[in-house]
Amino acid sequence: MMSTTLRCLFLTFLCCQFANPAKAQQNVDRDSQLNDQQLRDGVKKALARGCDYLKRTQEADGSWSAQGGTLLKFRDGFTSMAIMAQINSDVPVDSSEVQRGLDYLRRRPVGGSDGIAGVYETSLIIMALCAAEQYDRDLPRIQLLSTALENAQIRTGEAAGLWSYNLSGGGGGDASNGQYAVLALRDAAYAGATVSRSTWERIHERWTMAQNQDGGWGYAPGQPASRGSMTVAGLSTVAITTRMLQDDSNVGADGRPNCCWTPPPNLVMENGRQWMARNFSVTTNPGYNNWYYYYLYGLERAGRMSGVRFFGNYDWYRRGAQVLVAGQLPAGEWLSMDGNERDPVLNTAMALLFLSKGLSRVVVHKLDYNSPNGETLEQGEWNRHPQDVVNLVDLIDGLPKWPPRLISQVVTLSRLKQETAVLELNQAPVLFISGHEAPQFTDEQIGWLRDYIDAGGFIFAVGNCDGKGFDVGFRELIKRIFPQGDASLQRLLGDHPVYRSEFLLNAEQMELWGVDFGCRTSIIYSPDDIGCLWQKWMKHAPPDRNQNLSSQILRGTRIGVNVIAYATGREPPEKLDDVIVRRKDAAATVERGLVQVGKLRHNGGWDTAPKAIKNLLVALNETVGVAASTQSEAIPITLEEMSRFPLVYMHGRHRFQLQTAQQEALRDYLGRGGVLLADACCGSKNFDRGFRDLVKQLYPEKELVQIPADHELFTEAIGHEIKQVRRRRLVPSQKDATLEIKEEVGPPFLEGIEIGGRFAIIYSRYDISCALEHQASLSCDGYVEEDAAKLAINAVLYAMMQDFSSE
């Protein structure tokens, strides 16, 4: 533990840093350009150190308590917070520390003088048991505690809809107790417990009526002044109750919802976000200057459950993460100058929950293309079904084979700037666009969308209501994105992998259109308003729901899940992954260099992955430090053209054949010391057959052979040390089965033709180029992006070391 002297020194340091909130905010503003990779590394280290601290402070009985033992009555709550913090920081649920903590909670009696009696403690225990997701064992206890919470809700008076401190009632209610009860009941309902609709109705009425005129929330009926901690509590609470109180009032007797009906704007949420924008801080609890870590834990929930990355101009997660990473003590804990937050165990748990849950993977950006001046207004063509994407991602988050903590966010087009627009869009692998009327975009914004697709992004569009205006507008949008006619919108046929990417779907019973660009379909469009059906999805549907509606919701959500699975390969990137920034920086740094690569034109899809070589050369500059031109050149297969380059490259998706003159030119080029690097896009069997035919035509007496795993090509003597690589493989391959991705780890597998003691041809039947273009999907059988880049870099460097004569 920290010595008294060191603790005092650190508290003095905090006084200097945070005594002046304006100065502290300026420091955060000054550092806001911190490299995302640096911040992400800092967050990862902070999570590990914080969890180590919690592990060291666990009691012999599995519990956690306040250091010094002065708050023993809150042991249940401290233990629950420590468990949640560790699980969300990816400490395995079956680890010793988590299981010992859970066993402690499971042993605690309910009620009585020594049992669970507090609302905070009851709520937190529910949340901890739900976080562990061991429902076969814990659901009865979750239901028992949830029922106790419901029974303790205040039913009458000005505090109706809130909770007091004890399950037995008594005393006035407050928003702090109330928010924890709401969080617990929400988790319990998602776990399968029964929570009555009337409970949610009382909560919703209380919190919407209690919002102050300035948009914020206060602590209790007698203390109405708006506070940051209570405002973030209000935002997350209303977000929860809005979803829990969905109904089928706009559904006909035949089970068909009225998809042209638009719910009124949620002004409560809008006004609350505006209060946060005006009063935003990550260095103090706005409006109260107390309970700092408690506020940050609530800020994370408000941002995540509201689906917003920004409050005003403030990126709440990046700014908060910077402060927390900088403020962690060497031993792994967090301290506070706040007299109410004296305990490092509680502070550390709350800091870890902010850092870990705020690091959730953003799967989908819902595009707000209507709101002006950088604001996000609830109402608009972009948001006819406000819960559509939120519900779809919630559904996906509960599916097996997907990573944990998946979320969606809104990206507002009018807040983007030319220099950073594509980087902002690339924070999510899928951009969702919907509406009833034709969406309007400027030429500059069209350029952003094209650049987003070029960088590996994916657009998912859905027409709302009858969608006629949107259909015309979206088809025109595609023409503007691809003005050269290099891609167009086509009906997706039954053999497209999107119909098997997660669920097995009947293509004849749905209408999907797509744009094939590069290695995959980069845009998928549904004229059918499936977003209307996502809006109706609930974790646990009401028992009296029309069965026809349930069937439609199942169909609509499965289409949505399949599209997201196809687009992401079930591997959405982690938040703060700044690979796009690094690619841009590297490309901007070197435009001309010593190393150049020629790309061969042929009739088998020679430009399927048009950005692959450029991205390879960018990676070469960045990771190896070789000066390489980032401008690749497409050339005909003639000796004169190829002789300008020590290495030429070819890839494709279709079977191809070279003319006799082209074969002779290529054979002559290779004989002079040139190197041919080739791969089959997405593991295309057709291209593979064509390439093997070509090799046989070039060298009838030779066969493609596997390059030994210990060959210098895979060593540090060339570039990267490559002993193991990861490769995605599609299983099974039967026509009428869903697609499954299996990641195999093993030695690198490249084939080649050796001439004069060197490999003149280096070939991969597994995809490299689509991975380099950041477009690998469930339809791609090949290397993961990082390993594909290493293999390609080594091949280029190997070619540069050969004796090459252009004469």
Side-chain angles (χ1 to χ4, degrees), residues 188-220:
Y190 272 57
T194 300
V195 180
S196 69
R197 186 177 180 86
S198 59
T199 297
W200 295 119
E201 289 172 342
R202 283 189 288 269
I203 296 168
H204 188 75
E205 182 178 3
R206 161 64 204 176
W207 283 85
T208 53
M209 295 297 293
Q211 187 177 35
N212 294 328
Q213 289 187 349
D214 63 3
W217 277 269
Y219 174 70

PDB file of all heavy atoms in Angstrom, residues 188-220:
ATOM      1  N   ALA A 188     -31.344  -7.124 -15.191  1.00  0.00           N
ATOM      2  CA  ALA A 188     -32.132  -8.295 -14.822  1.00  0.00           C
ATOM      3  C   ALA A 188     -33.098  -8.680 -15.939  1.00  0.00           C
ATOM      4  O   ALA A 188     -33.252  -9.865 -16.268  1.00  0.00           O
ATOM      5  CB  ALA A 188     -32.901  -8.016 -13.533  1.00  0.00           C
ATOM      6  N   ALA A 189     -33.746  -7.677 -16.533  1.00  0.00           N
ATOM      7  CA  ALA A 189     -34.675  -7.962 -17.629  1.00  0.00           C
ATOM      8  C   ALA A 189     -33.946  -8.578 -18.816  1.00  0.00           C
ATOM      9  O   ALA A 189     -34.444  -9.512 -19.455  1.00  0.00           O
ATOM     10  CB  ALA A 189     -35.381  -6.672 -18.048  1.00  0.00           C
ATOM     11  N   TYR A 190     -32.749  -8.080 -19.112  1.00  0.00           N
ATOM     12  CA  TYR A 190     -31.971  -8.645 -20.215  1.00  0.00           C
ATOM     13  C   TYR A 190     -31.502 -10.061 -19.896  1.00  0.00           C
ATOM     14  O   TYR A 190     -31.282 -10.873 -20.801  1.00  0.00           O
ATOM     15  CB  TYR A 190     -30.763  -7.749 -20.532  1.00  0.00           C
ATOM     16  CG  TYR A 190     -31.087  -6.669 -21.528  1.00  0.00           C
ATOM     17  CD1 TYR A 190     -32.116  -5.769 -21.281  1.00  0.00           C
ATOM     18  CD2 TYR A 190     -30.376  -6.536 -22.709  1.00  0.00           C
ATOM     19  CE1 TYR A 190     -32.432  -4.770 -22.197  1.00  0.00           C
ATOM     20  CE2 TYR A 190     -30.678  -5.543 -23.633  1.00  0.00           C
ATOM     21  CZ  TYR A 190     -31.712  -4.668 -23.369  1.00  0.00           C
ATOM     22  OH  TYR A 190     -32.023  -3.695 -24.280  1.00  0.00           O
ATOM     23  N   ALA A 191     -31.345 -10.365 -18.611  1.00  0.00           N
ATOM     24  CA  ALA A 191     -30.932 -11.711 -18.209  1.00  0.00           C
ATOM     25  C   ALA A 191     -32.090 -12.699 -18.245  1.00  0.00           C
ATOM     26  O   ALA A 191     -31.867 -13.908 -18.211  1.00  0.00           O
ATOM     27  CB  ALA A 191     -30.339 -11.676 -16.807  1.00  0.00           C
ATOM     28  N   GLY A 192     -33.316 -12.184 -18.313  1.00  0.00           N
ATOM     29  CA  GLY A 192     -34.474 -13.074 -18.372  1.00  0.00           C
ATOM     30  C   GLY A 192     -35.407 -12.962 -17.194  1.00  0.00           C
ATOM     31  O   GLY A 192     -36.413 -13.680 -17.118  1.00  0.00           O
ATOM     32  N   ALA A 193     -35.126 -12.066 -16.255  1.00  0.00           N
ATOM     33  CA  ALA A 193     -36.023 -11.868 -15.117  1.00  0.00           C
ATOM     34  C   ALA A 193     -37.251 -11.078 -15.548  1.00  0.00           C
ATOM     35  O   ALA A 193     -37.218 -10.335 -16.535  1.00  0.00           O
ATOM     36  CB  ALA A 193     -35.289 -11.146 -13.987  1.00  0.00           C
ATOM     37  N   THR A 194     -38.313 -11.216 -14.809  1.00  0.00           N
ATOM     38  CA  THR A 194     -39.553 -10.500 -15.095  1.00  0.00           C
ATOM     39  C   THR A 194     -39.582  -9.190 -14.320  1.00  0.00           C
ATOM     40  O   THR A 194     -39.411  -9.182 -13.098  1.00  0.00           O
ATOM     41  CB  THR A 194     -40.777 -11.354 -14.703  1.00  0.00           C
ATOM     42  OG1 THR A 194     -40.746 -12.575 -15.449  1.00  0.00           O
ATOM     43  CG2 THR A 194     -42.067 -10.607 -14.986  1.00  0.00           C
ATOM     44  N   VAL A 195     -39.784  -8.095 -15.037  1.00  0.00           N
ATOM     45  CA  VAL A 195     -39.927  -6.770 -14.432  1.00  0.00           C
ATOM     46  C   VAL A 195     -41.209  -6.177 -14.991  1.00  0.00           C
ATOM     47  O   VAL A 195     -41.387  -6.116 -16.211  1.00  0.00           O
ATOM     48  CB  VAL A 195     -38.727  -5.857 -14.744  1.00  0.00           C
ATOM     49  CG1 VAL A 195     -38.912  -4.490 -14.100  1.00  0.00           C
ATOM     50  CG2 VAL A 195     -37.425  -6.501 -14.266  1.00  0.00           C
ATOM     51  N   SER A 196     -42.093  -5.726 -14.140  1.00  0.00           N
ATOM     52  CA  SER A 196     -43.413  -5.286 -14.595  1.00  0.00           C
ATOM     53  C   SER A 196     -43.336  -3.976 -15.359  1.00  0.00           C
ATOM     54  O   SER A 196     -42.480  -3.122 -15.083  1.00  0.00           O
ATOM     55  CB  SER A 196     -44.358  -5.121 -13.399  1.00  0.00           C
ATOM     56  OG  SER A 196     -43.970  -4.016 -12.611  1.00  0.00           O
ATOM     57  N   ARG A 197     -44.252  -3.828 -16.301  1.00  0.00           N
ATOM     58  CA  ARG A 197     -44.303  -2.601 -17.088  1.00  0.00           C
ATOM     59  C   ARG A 197     -44.640  -1.390 -16.213  1.00  0.00           C
ATOM     60  O   ARG A 197     -44.127  -0.284 -16.450  1.00  0.00           O
ATOM     61  CB  ARG A 197     -45.341  -2.759 -18.202  1.00  0.00           C
ATOM     62  CG  ARG A 197     -45.362  -1.579 -19.177  1.00  0.00           C
ATOM     63  CD  ARG A 197     -46.350  -1.795 -20.311  1.00  0.00           C
ATOM     64  NE  ARG A 197     -46.355  -0.678 -21.235  1.00  0.00           N
ATOM     65  CZ  ARG A 197     -45.518  -0.548 -22.272  1.00  0.00           C
ATOM     66  NH1 ARG A 197     -44.629  -1.488 -22.505  1.00  0.00           N
ATOM     67  NH2 ARG A 197     -45.568   0.512 -23.062  1.00  0.00           N
ATOM     68  N   SER A 198     -45.453  -1.581 -15.195  1.00  0.00           N
ATOM     69  CA  SER A 198     -45.829  -0.455 -14.337  1.00  0.00           C
ATOM     70  C   SER A 198     -44.614   0.119 -13.606  1.00  0.00           C
ATOM     71  O   SER A 198     -44.538   1.329 -13.351  1.00  0.00           O
ATOM     72  CB  SER A 198     -46.887  -0.892 -13.326  1.00  0.00           C
ATOM     73  OG  SER A 198     -46.402  -1.960 -12.518  1.00  0.00           O
ATOM     74  N   THR A 199     -43.638  -0.734 -13.284  1.00  0.00           N
ATOM     75  CA  THR A 199     -42.406  -0.234 -12.653  1.00  0.00           C
ATOM     76  C   THR A 199     -41.685   0.709 -13.599  1.00  0.00           C
ATOM     77  O   THR A 199     -41.237   1.791 -13.198  1.00  0.00           O
ATOM     78  CB  THR A 199     -41.496  -1.408 -12.268  1.00  0.00           C
ATOM     79  OG1 THR A 199     -42.156  -2.224 -11.294  1.00  0.00           O
ATOM     80  CG2 THR A 199     -40.170  -0.914 -11.701  1.00  0.00           C
ATOM     81  N   TRP A 200     -41.564   0.304 -14.855  1.00  0.00           N
ATOM     82  CA  TRP A 200     -40.893   1.155 -15.848  1.00  0.00           C
ATOM     83  C   TRP A 200     -41.691   2.442 -16.075  1.00  0.00           C
ATOM     84  O   TRP A 200     -41.090   3.514 -16.267  1.00  0.00           O
ATOM     85  CB  TRP A 200     -40.720   0.410 -17.168  1.00  0.00           C
ATOM     86  CG  TRP A 200     -39.822  -0.780 -17.105  1.00  0.00           C
ATOM     87  CD1 TRP A 200     -40.137  -2.075 -17.356  1.00  0.00           C
ATOM     88  CD2 TRP A 200     -38.431  -0.784 -16.759  1.00  0.00           C
ATOM     89  NE1 TRP A 200     -39.048  -2.892 -17.188  1.00  0.00           N
ATOM     90  CE2 TRP A 200     -37.986  -2.117 -16.833  1.00  0.00           C
ATOM     91  CE3 TRP A 200     -37.527   0.216 -16.405  1.00  0.00           C
ATOM     92  CZ2 TRP A 200     -36.664  -2.480 -16.553  1.00  0.00           C
ATOM     93  CZ3 TRP A 200     -36.208  -0.135 -16.134  1.00  0.00           C
ATOM     94  CH2 TRP A 200     -35.789  -1.470 -16.205  1.00  0.00           C
ATOM     95  N   GLU A 201     -42.988   2.345 -16.073  1.00  0.00           N
ATOM     96  CA  GLU A 201     -43.813   3.542 -16.302  1.00  0.00           C
ATOM     97  C   GLU A 201     -43.616   4.570 -15.199  1.00  0.00           C
ATOM     98  O   GLU A 201     -43.508   5.777 -15.457  1.00  0.00           O
ATOM     99  CB  GLU A 201     -45.283   3.146 -16.408  1.00  0.00           C
ATOM    100  CG  GLU A 201     -45.611   2.395 -17.702  1.00  0.00           C
ATOM    101  CD  GLU A 201     -47.025   1.845 -17.710  1.00  0.00           C
ATOM    102  OE1 GLU A 201     -47.634   1.740 -16.609  1.00  0.00           O
ATOM    103  OE2 GLU A 201     -47.513   1.499 -18.800  1.00  0.00           O
ATOM    104  N   ARG A 202     -43.563   4.105 -13.944  1.00  0.00           N
ATOM    105  CA  ARG A 202     -43.336   5.038 -12.838  1.00  0.00           C
ATOM    106  C   ARG A 202     -41.953   5.687 -12.937  1.00  0.00           C
ATOM    107  O   ARG A 202     -41.793   6.890 -12.676  1.00  0.00           O
ATOM    108  CB  ARG A 202     -43.497   4.314 -11.496  1.00  0.00           C
ATOM    109  CG  ARG A 202     -44.945   4.054 -11.095  1.00  0.00           C
ATOM    110  CD  ARG A 202     -45.046   3.541  -9.678  1.00  0.00           C
ATOM    111  NE  ARG A 202     -44.575   2.162  -9.566  1.00  0.00           N
ATOM    112  CZ  ARG A 202     -45.345   1.088  -9.696  1.00  0.00           C
ATOM    113  NH1 ARG A 202     -46.644   1.234  -9.953  1.00  0.00           N
ATOM    114  NH2 ARG A 202     -44.847  -0.122  -9.562  1.00  0.00           N
ATOM    115  N   ILE A 203     -40.965   4.883 -13.296  1.00  0.00           N
ATOM    116  CA  ILE A 203     -39.610   5.435 -13.450  1.00  0.00           C
ATOM    117  C   ILE A 203     -39.594   6.494 -14.545  1.00  0.00           C
ATOM    118  O   ILE A 203     -39.071   7.603 -14.360  1.00  0.00           O
ATOM    119  CB  ILE A 203     -38.613   4.311 -13.796  1.00  0.00           C
ATOM    120  CG1 ILE A 203     -38.513   3.300 -12.660  1.00  0.00           C
ATOM    121  CG2 ILE A 203     -37.230   4.897 -14.109  1.00  0.00           C
ATOM    122  CD1 ILE A 203     -37.774   2.025 -13.035  1.00  0.00           C
ATOM    123  N   HIS A 204     -40.192   6.165 -15.678  1.00  0.00           N
ATOM    124  CA  HIS A 204     -40.157   7.082 -16.820  1.00  0.00           C
ATOM    125  C   HIS A 204     -40.880   8.386 -16.501  1.00  0.00           C
ATOM    126  O   HIS A 204     -40.372   9.481 -16.807  1.00  0.00           O
ATOM    127  CB  HIS A 204     -40.820   6.406 -18.023  1.00  0.00           C
ATOM    128  CG  HIS A 204     -40.670   7.175 -19.303  1.00  0.00           C
ATOM    129  ND1 HIS A 204     -39.502   7.226 -20.024  1.00  0.00           N
ATOM    130  CD2 HIS A 204     -41.569   7.964 -19.987  1.00  0.00           C
ATOM    131  CE1 HIS A 204     -39.659   7.984 -21.090  1.00  0.00           C
ATOM    132  NE2 HIS A 204     -40.906   8.448 -21.096  1.00  0.00           N
ATOM    133  N   GLU A 205     -42.021   8.278 -15.885  1.00  0.00           N
ATOM    134  CA  GLU A 205     -42.777   9.486 -15.554  1.00  0.00           C
ATOM    135  C   GLU A 205     -42.005  10.353 -14.573  1.00  0.00           C
ATOM    136  O   GLU A 205     -41.925  11.576 -14.723  1.00  0.00           O
ATOM    137  CB  GLU A 205     -44.135   9.116 -14.964  1.00  0.00           C
ATOM    138  CG  GLU A 205     -44.988  10.331 -14.630  1.00  0.00           C
ATOM    139  CD  GLU A 205     -46.359   9.954 -14.088  1.00  0.00           C
ATOM    140  OE1 GLU A 205     -46.620   8.743 -13.921  1.00  0.00           O
ATOM    141  OE2 GLU A 205     -47.166  10.872 -13.825  1.00  0.00           O
ATOM    142  N   ARG A 206     -41.411   9.715 -13.569  1.00  0.00           N
ATOM    143  CA  ARG A 206     -40.670  10.474 -12.559  1.00  0.00           C
ATOM    144  C   ARG A 206     -39.495  11.235 -13.189  1.00  0.00           C
ATOM    145  O   ARG A 206     -39.321  12.442 -12.971  1.00  0.00           O
ATOM    146  CB  ARG A 206     -40.155   9.513 -11.479  1.00  0.00           C
ATOM    147  CG  ARG A 206     -39.017  10.037 -10.637  1.00  0.00           C
ATOM    148  CD  ARG A 206     -39.399  11.251  -9.798  1.00  0.00           C
ATOM    149  NE  ARG A 206     -38.214  12.040  -9.463  1.00  0.00           N
ATOM    150  CZ  ARG A 206     -38.255  13.183  -8.804  1.00  0.00           C
ATOM    151  NH1 ARG A 206     -39.410  13.684  -8.424  1.00  0.00           N
ATOM    152  NH2 ARG A 206     -37.146  13.838  -8.537  1.00  0.00           N
ATOM    153  N   TRP A 207     -38.696  10.552 -13.999  1.00  0.00           N
ATOM    154  CA  TRP A 207     -37.486  11.171 -14.528  1.00  0.00           C
ATOM    155  C   TRP A 207     -37.792  12.202 -15.613  1.00  0.00           C
ATOM    156  O   TRP A 207     -37.087  13.209 -15.718  1.00  0.00           O
ATOM    157  CB  TRP A 207     -36.533  10.098 -15.047  1.00  0.00           C
ATOM    158  CG  TRP A 207     -35.812   9.394 -13.943  1.00  0.00           C
ATOM    159  CD1 TRP A 207     -36.264   8.328 -13.215  1.00  0.00           C
ATOM    160  CD2 TRP A 207     -34.527   9.714 -13.411  1.00  0.00           C
ATOM    161  NE1 TRP A 207     -35.345   7.957 -12.268  1.00  0.00           N
ATOM    162  CE2 TRP A 207     -34.259   8.791 -12.370  1.00  0.00           C
ATOM    163  CE3 TRP A 207     -33.576  10.675 -13.709  1.00  0.00           C
ATOM    164  CZ2 TRP A 207     -33.073   8.813 -11.630  1.00  0.00           C
ATOM    165  CZ3 TRP A 207     -32.381  10.706 -12.982  1.00  0.00           C
ATOM    166  CH2 TRP A 207     -32.149   9.782 -11.956  1.00  0.00           C
ATOM    167  N   THR A 208     -38.793  11.983 -16.408  1.00  0.00           N
ATOM    168  CA  THR A 208     -39.124  12.982 -17.435  1.00  0.00           C
ATOM    169  C   THR A 208     -39.729  14.225 -16.798  1.00  0.00           C
ATOM    170  O   THR A 208     -39.434  15.356 -17.226  1.00  0.00           O
ATOM    171  CB  THR A 208     -40.087  12.404 -18.476  1.00  0.00           C
ATOM    172  OG1 THR A 208     -41.239  11.850 -17.821  1.00  0.00           O
ATOM    173  CG2 THR A 208     -39.419  11.317 -19.285  1.00  0.00           C
ATOM    174  N   MET A 209     -40.555  14.037 -15.774  1.00  0.00           N
ATOM    175  CA  MET A 209     -41.165  15.187 -15.111  1.00  0.00           C
ATOM    176  C   MET A 209     -40.158  15.959 -14.261  1.00  0.00           C
ATOM    177  O   MET A 209     -40.316  17.162 -14.031  1.00  0.00           O
ATOM    178  CB  MET A 209     -42.330  14.722 -14.232  1.00  0.00           C
ATOM    179  CG  MET A 209     -43.496  14.120 -15.019  1.00  0.00           C
ATOM    180  SD  MET A 209     -44.282  15.317 -16.139  1.00  0.00           S
ATOM    181  CE  MET A 209     -44.987  16.457 -14.948  1.00  0.00           C
ATOM    182  N   ALA A 210     -39.108  15.276 -13.783  1.00  0.00           N
ATOM    183  CA  ALA A 210     -38.148  15.918 -12.885  1.00  0.00           C
ATOM    184  C   ALA A 210     -37.057  16.679 -13.616  1.00  0.00           C
ATOM    185  O   ALA A 210     -36.237  17.340 -12.966  1.00  0.00           O
ATOM    186  CB  ALA A 210     -37.518  14.866 -11.971  1.00  0.00           C
ATOM    187  N   GLN A 211     -37.036  16.602 -14.939  1.00  0.00           N
ATOM    188  CA  GLN A 211     -35.989  17.327 -15.664  1.00  0.00           C
ATOM    189  C   GLN A 211     -36.180  18.831 -15.480  1.00  0.00           C
ATOM    190  O   GLN A 211     -37.287  19.355 -15.603  1.00  0.00           O
ATOM    191  CB  GLN A 211     -36.019  16.987 -17.149  1.00  0.00           C
ATOM    192  CG  GLN A 211     -34.857  17.578 -17.934  1.00  0.00           C
ATOM    193  CD  GLN A 211     -34.875  17.165 -19.399  1.00  0.00           C
ATOM    194  OE1 GLN A 211     -35.952  17.023 -19.987  1.00  0.00           O
ATOM    195  NE2 GLN A 211     -33.709  16.970 -19.996  1.00  0.00           N
ATOM    196  N   ASN A 212     -35.105  19.521 -15.170  1.00  0.00           N
ATOM    197  CA  ASN A 212     -35.166  20.963 -14.967  1.00  0.00           C
ATOM    198  C   ASN A 212     -35.294  21.695 -16.297  1.00  0.00           C
ATOM    199  O   ASN A 212     -35.023  21.139 -17.368  1.00  0.00           O
ATOM    200  CB  ASN A 212     -33.905  21.442 -14.234  1.00  0.00           C
ATOM    201  CG  ASN A 212     -33.829  20.893 -12.823  1.00  0.00           C
ATOM    202  OD1 ASN A 212     -34.854  20.681 -12.170  1.00  0.00           O
ATOM    203  ND2 ASN A 212     -32.616  20.654 -12.351  1.00  0.00           N
ATOM    204  N   GLN A 213     -35.695  22.949 -16.225  1.00  0.00           N
ATOM    205  CA  GLN A 213     -35.877  23.736 -17.442  1.00  0.00           C
ATOM    206  C   GLN A 213     -34.575  23.913 -18.219  1.00  0.00           C
ATOM    207  O   GLN A 213     -34.595  24.084 -19.442  1.00  0.00           O
ATOM    208  CB  GLN A 213     -36.473  25.107 -17.096  1.00  0.00           C
ATOM    209  CG  GLN A 213     -37.932  25.036 -16.655  1.00  0.00           C
ATOM    210  CD  GLN A 213     -38.539  26.421 -16.486  1.00  0.00           C
ATOM    211  OE1 GLN A 213     -37.829  27.432 -16.501  1.00  0.00           O
ATOM    212  NE2 GLN A 213     -39.857  26.480 -16.327  1.00  0.00           N
ATOM    213  N   ASP A 214     -33.444  23.851 -17.517  1.00  0.00           N
ATOM    214  CA  ASP A 214     -32.171  24.003 -18.209  1.00  0.00           C
ATOM    215  C   ASP A 214     -31.721  22.712 -18.877  1.00  0.00           C
ATOM    216  O   ASP A 214     -30.669  22.671 -19.520  1.00  0.00           O
ATOM    217  CB  ASP A 214     -31.090  24.518 -17.251  1.00  0.00           C
ATOM    218  CG  ASP A 214     -30.800  23.548 -16.097  1.00  0.00           C
ATOM    219  OD1 ASP A 214     -31.387  22.448 -16.055  1.00  0.00           O
ATOM    220  OD2 ASP A 214     -29.973  23.904 -15.229  1.00  0.00           O
ATOM    221  N   GLY A 215     -32.503  21.624 -18.734  1.00  0.00           N
ATOM    222  CA  GLY A 215     -32.180  20.355 -19.366  1.00  0.00           C
ATOM    223  C   GLY A 215     -31.486  19.368 -18.467  1.00  0.00           C
ATOM    224  O   GLY A 215     -31.305  18.201 -18.838  1.00  0.00           O
ATOM    225  N   GLY A 216     -31.034  19.822 -17.279  1.00  0.00           N
ATOM    226  CA  GLY A 216     -30.337  18.934 -16.364  1.00  0.00           C
ATOM    227  C   GLY A 216     -31.258  18.320 -15.340  1.00  0.00           C
ATOM    228  O   GLY A 216     -32.471  18.545 -15.331  1.00  0.00           O
ATOM    229  N   TRP A 217     -30.689  17.503 -14.458  1.00  0.00           N
ATOM    230  CA  TRP A 217     -31.440  16.882 -13.371  1.00  0.00           C
ATOM    231  C   TRP A 217     -30.750  17.172 -12.047  1.00  0.00           C
ATOM    232  O   TRP A 217     -29.516  17.313 -11.981  1.00  0.00           O
ATOM    233  CB  TRP A 217     -31.504  15.364 -13.541  1.00  0.00           C
ATOM    234  CG  TRP A 217     -32.566  14.848 -14.450  1.00  0.00           C
ATOM    235  CD1 TRP A 217     -33.847  14.477 -14.113  1.00  0.00           C
ATOM    236  CD2 TRP A 217     -32.463  14.611 -15.858  1.00  0.00           C
ATOM    237  NE1 TRP A 217     -34.533  14.034 -15.219  1.00  0.00           N
ATOM    238  CE2 TRP A 217     -33.709  14.099 -16.306  1.00  0.00           C
ATOM    239  CE3 TRP A 217     -31.447  14.785 -16.789  1.00  0.00           C
ATOM    240  CZ2 TRP A 217     -33.951  13.761 -17.629  1.00  0.00           C
ATOM    241  CZ3 TRP A 217     -31.674  14.452 -18.116  1.00  0.00           C
ATOM    242  CH2 TRP A 217     -32.915  13.948 -18.524  1.00  0.00           C
ATOM    243  N   GLY A 218     -31.568  17.250 -10.984  1.00  0.00           N
ATOM    244  CA  GLY A 218     -31.048  17.423  -9.635  1.00  0.00           C
ATOM    245  C   GLY A 218     -31.081  16.131  -8.854  1.00  0.00           C
ATOM    246  O   GLY A 218     -31.507  15.080  -9.341  1.00  0.00           O
ATOM    247  N   TYR A 219     -30.649  16.206  -7.593  1.00  0.00           N
ATOM    248  CA  TYR A 219     -30.486  15.022  -6.766  1.00  0.00           C
ATOM    249  C   TYR A 219     -31.802  14.492  -6.205  1.00  0.00           C
ATOM    250  O   TYR A 219     -32.046  13.288  -6.199  1.00  0.00           O
ATOM    251  CB  TYR A 219     -29.528  15.348  -5.621  1.00  0.00           C
ATOM    252  CG  TYR A 219     -29.376  14.245  -4.603  1.00  0.00           C
ATOM    253  CD1 TYR A 219     -28.715  13.070  -4.913  1.00  0.00           C
ATOM    254  CD2 TYR A 219     -29.897  14.395  -3.310  1.00  0.00           C
ATOM    255  CE1 TYR A 219     -28.568  12.052  -3.976  1.00  0.00           C
ATOM    256  CE2 TYR A 219     -29.761  13.399  -2.367  1.00  0.00           C
ATOM    257  CZ  TYR A 219     -29.098  12.228  -2.704  1.00  0.00           C
ATOM    258  OH  TYR A 219     -28.973  11.237  -1.771  1.00  0.00           O
ATOM    259  N   ALA A 220     -32.659  15.382  -5.739  1.00  0.00           N
ATOM    260  CA  ALA A 220     -33.889  14.955  -5.073  1.00  0.00           C
ATOM    261  C   ALA A 220     -34.915  16.069  -5.198  1.00  0.00           C
ATOM    262  O   ALA A 220     -34.572  17.206  -5.553  1.00  0.00           O
ATOM    263  CB  ALA A 220     -33.611  14.635  -3.601  1.00  0.00           C
TER     264      ALA A 220
END
